[in-house]
């Protein structure tokens, strides 16, 4: 059945043989529209048949440069050989038992690995789930159970998922929340640190947030503060230096569980295994998912043993949580990050992107801000001569890129941010070719 094999041996080239979407992709799109709920939208309507290295190949034979990694998932590359081998071996052994019915080694080995790698010089425990949202939900469950307090603090521009609780925790209304309420109670939002727009130091932004928490929530009611070390969907906003340590310090002093949501930033993406390491911030609990298992669904909650162990036996779990296939993939994936030193590769990718746009910015002041870390970089577009968000230009760049066979994602509360999340297996040549397409889009708009 398989007539084209993905993985790194795919020709690493951008190639257009039809317009995008081509006729066969359009056939799939028509079937999709007739069969799939409209709420499940697509960013780029091509029908993918294979992917690997830095490309995705569609059913019409177009080869697209991948600057999105399926939203920061395929850090090790699509169909990475070690992951493929681990998955094949596992599916031949057994596909499922439900870990909470009859356990297996892979789950325990992933937990051991996470406990070792997640920052924090203390005893840890992990629990595995399927999606990022599910990890966030469970982190909150555990923090509430441990502190016996109800409230949760989240930040402006945050993204935590699409389940009811995590929708309520997510900042942006469209498309994530509109009409989907009511949302769970006891979720409070405070200002984040957004250096490009608020002009505050980390300490100033933290004291603004803390003051609001003290006045409007009260430490005595607060179970957890949860924050993305670099805000993802919100616009790849790295907080000003000192912001995260100040929030962490206040949490510790007030018996509030400090949770870092590393679902998007985790696993070498930012040039370190975890984004928290850039400022030496140590969380009580860390949530991970996306980059953890080379494309297979898996997420984790890792934290201080006393907090994690506070929930009673049977209180945590799920039918598919920590699937043996996903665990096998995760072990191979984490091994690949370490063996191939992909954190270093992420830093190289970040340097190329930063240099490219810094050069362009000299002659185009619509490039308002270039930010991020490692292979999690973004450009915020504004109107010439101001900081007014330029969502129209951002949309035009994304559609130009799509027509030119470059998969490019946007984000940001104001819809004016282009984000770069290439697989860490992309070559310099392909990356530069993809960036040039964006430069061409800027020149044409
Ligand atoms: C994507 C994301 C989530 C949700 O993960 P899903 O697997 O889509 O449920 C949660 N938090 C952050 C920071 C994310 O980027």
């Amino acid at each position: 059945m398989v007539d084209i094999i993905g993985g790194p041996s795919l020709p690493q080239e951008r190639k257009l043989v039809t317009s995008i979407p081509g006729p066969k992709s359009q056939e799939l799109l028509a079937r999709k529209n007739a069969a799939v709920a409209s709420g499940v939208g697509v960013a780029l309507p091509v029908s993918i048949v294979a992917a690997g290295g830095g490309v995705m190949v569609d059913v019409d034979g177009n080869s697209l440069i991948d600057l999105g990694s399926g939203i920061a998932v395929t850090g090790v590359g699509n169909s990475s050989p070690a992951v493929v081998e681990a998955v094949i071996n596992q599916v031949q052994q057994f596909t499922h038992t439900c870990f909470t019915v009859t356990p297996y080694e892979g789950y325990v080995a992933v937990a051991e690995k996470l406990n070792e790698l997640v920052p924090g010089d203390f005893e840890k425990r992990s629990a595995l789930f399927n999606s990022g949202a599910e990890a966030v939900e469970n982190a909150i469950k555990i923090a509430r159970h441990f502190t016996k307090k109800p409230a949760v603090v989240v930040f402006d521009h945050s993204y935590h998922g699409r389940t009811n609780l995590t929708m309520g925790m997510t900042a942006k209304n469209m498309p994530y929340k509109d009409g989907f309420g009511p949302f769970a109670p006891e979720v409070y939002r405070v200002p984040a640190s957004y250096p490009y727009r608020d002009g505050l130091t980390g300490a100033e932004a933290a004291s603004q947030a803390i003051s609001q928490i003290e006045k409007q929530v009260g430490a005595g009611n607060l179970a957890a503060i949860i924050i993305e070390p670099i805000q993802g969907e919100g616009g790849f906003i790295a907080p000003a230096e000192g912001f995260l340590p100040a929030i962490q310090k206040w949490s510790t002093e007030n018996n509030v569980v400090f949770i870092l949501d590393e679902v998007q930033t985790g696993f070498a993406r930012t040039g370190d295994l975890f984004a928290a390491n850039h400022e030496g911030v140590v969380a009580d609990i860390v949530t991970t998912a996306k980059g953890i298992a080379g494309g297979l669904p898996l997420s984790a909650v890792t934290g201080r043993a006393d907090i994690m162990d506070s929930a009673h036996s049977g209180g945590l779990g799920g039918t598919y949580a920590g699937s043996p296939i996903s665990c096998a993939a995760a072990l191979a994936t984490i091994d690949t990050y370490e063996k191939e030193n992909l954190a270093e590769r992420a830093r190289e990718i970040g340097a190329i992107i930063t240099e490219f746009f810094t050069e362009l910015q000299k002659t185009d002041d619509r490039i308002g801000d270039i930010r991020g870390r490692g292979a999690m970089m973004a450009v915020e577009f504004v109107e010439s001569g101001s900081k007014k968000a330029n969502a129209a230009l951002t949309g035009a760049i994304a559609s130009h890129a799509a027509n030119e066979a470059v998969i490019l994602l946007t984000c940001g509360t104001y819809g004016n941010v282009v984000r770069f999340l290439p697989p860490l297996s992309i070559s310099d040549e392909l990356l530069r070719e993809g960036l040039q397409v964006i430069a061409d889009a800027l020149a044409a708009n």
Side-chain angles (χ1 to χ4, degrees):
M1 279 300 289
V2 180
D3 52 9
I4 174 168
I5 304 283
S9 59
L10 274 181
Q12 296 297 300
E13 59 181 2
R14 180 170 68 104
K15 190 173 85 177
L16 272 170
V17 297
T18 70
S19 59
I20 303 269
K24 289 180 182 159
S25 285
Q26 286 182 30
E27 277 171 33
L28 183 76
L29 195 64
R31 280 172 58 196
K32 175 201 174 278
N33 290 342
V36 180
S38 317
V40 184
V42 297
L44 213 176
V46 289
S47 172
I48 297 300
V49 293
V55 299
M56 289 198 177
V57 175
D58 77 12
V59 67
D60 293 291
N62 300 299
S63 178
L64 300 93
I65 298 178
D66 180 12
L67 298 183
S69 301
I71 317 188
V73 169
T74 51
V76 292
N78 248 295
S79 298
S80 166
V83 174
V84 170
E85 191 191 340
V87 166
I88 289 174
N89 287 343
Q90 181 57 48
V91 290
Q92 288 175 335
Q93 301 286 319
F94 62 94
T95 50
H96 174 80
T97 69
C98 186
F99 185 79
T100 55
V101 176
T102 46
Y104 40 87
E105 198 219 343
Y107 186 119
V108 177
V110 171
E112 288 168 348
K113 197 80 197 162
L114 290 169
N115 296 347
E116 172 198 328
L117 295 175
V118 166
D121 190 14
F122 41 75
E123 201 175 332
K124 297 184 204 102
R125 302 281 186 273
S126 289
L128 305 183
F129 302 95
N130 301 290
S131 68
E134 208 185 344
V136 169
E137 290 246 0
N138 278 278
I140 302 298
K141 260 171 80 168
I142 294 165
R144 283 177 167 156
H145 202 277
F146 176 73
T147 58
K148 308 278 180 261
K149 299 190 280 188
V152 175
V153 158
V154 295
F155 290 82
D156 285 339
H157 313 291
S158 64
Y159 182 85
H160 296 292
R162 294 175 179 272
T163 59
N164 185 267
L165 175 62
T166 59
M167 259 194 298
M169 294 167 65
T170 290
K172 197 174 177 179
N173 179 49
M174 276 301 272
Y176 306 119
K177 302 164 76 164
D178 195 61
F180 295 135
F183 304 113
E186 291 300 327
V187 174
Y188 300 88
R189 189 172 312 285
V190 302
S193 167
Y194 193 159
Y196 176 63
R197 293 199 173 273
D198 66 22
L200 300 177
T201 65
E204 288 163 351
S207 96
Q208 168 182 278
I210 288 165
S211 161
Q212 189 161 324
I213 294 167
E214 288 175 337
K215 302 282 179 303
Q216 299 184 12
V217 188
N221 304 304
L222 185 56
I225 296 180
I226 179 164
I227 188 163
E228 301 152 81
I230 297 175
Q231 294 187 305
E233 299 292 320
F236 282 23
I237 308 162
E241 199 183 327
F243 178 77
L244 291 175
I247 301 286
Q248 177 209 351
K249 181 164 174 285
W250 183 88
S251 303
T252 307
E253 287 166 0
N254 289 278
N255 183 31
V256 170
V257 177
F258 180 64
I259 305 172
L260 279 178
D261 182 351
E262 291 242 24
V263 166
Q264 190 156 166
T265 51
F267 298 102
R269 176 56 55 187
T270 64
D272 202 311
L273 204 49
F274 295 98
N277 285 337
H278 296 288
E279 279 198 78
V281 179
V282 175
D284 299 310
I285 292 180
V286 173
T287 53
T288 52
K290 293 190 166 101
I292 194 174
L296 276 87
L298 187 72
S299 66
V301 181
T302 301
R304 287 181 185 275
D306 56 336
I307 300 175
M308 295 295 295
D309 281 341
S310 74
H312 47 272
S313 177
L316 305 176
T319 307
Y320 295 113
S323 143
I325 304 166
S326 296
C327 287
L331 292 170
T333 299
I334 295 168
D335 195 49
T336 303
Y337 287 124
E338 294 185 313
K339 276 206 186 111
E340 297 185 5
N341 197 5
L342 291 181
E344 167 75 31
R345 178 65 191 142
R347 289 195 291 275
E348 290 168 6
I349 288 172
I352 290 172
I353 296 171
T354 306
E355 194 194 309
F356 188 89
F357 284 102
T358 306
E359 196 53 39
L360 274 186
Q361 194 180 33
K362 289 178 184 160
T363 55
D364 192 339
D365 72 348
R366 296 172 302 170
I367 298 177
D369 197 22
I370 303 156
R371 60 174 179 252
R373 282 198 179 101
M376 182 173 181
M377 293 296 304
V379 176
E380 175 160 354
F381 291 101
V382 293
E383 290 182 6
S384 187
S386 82
K387 282 194 179 182
K388 197 159 175 281
N390 197 337
L393 177 62
T394 308
I397 291 168
S399 61
H400 179 102
N403 292 334
E404 292 296 324
V406 175
I407 301 168
L408 186 67
L409 303 174
T410 60
C411 65
T413 300
Y414 315 109
N416 66 326
V417 179
V418 162
R419 57 171 152 174
F420 300 94
L421 291 166
L424 306 177
S425 52
I426 197 170
S427 68
D428 284 4
E429 295 69 34
L430 265 189
L431 174 62
R432 289 184 200 280
E433 189 175 339
L435 297 178
Q436 188 53 48
V437 168
I438 293 151
D440 296 345
L442 265 172
N445 285 278

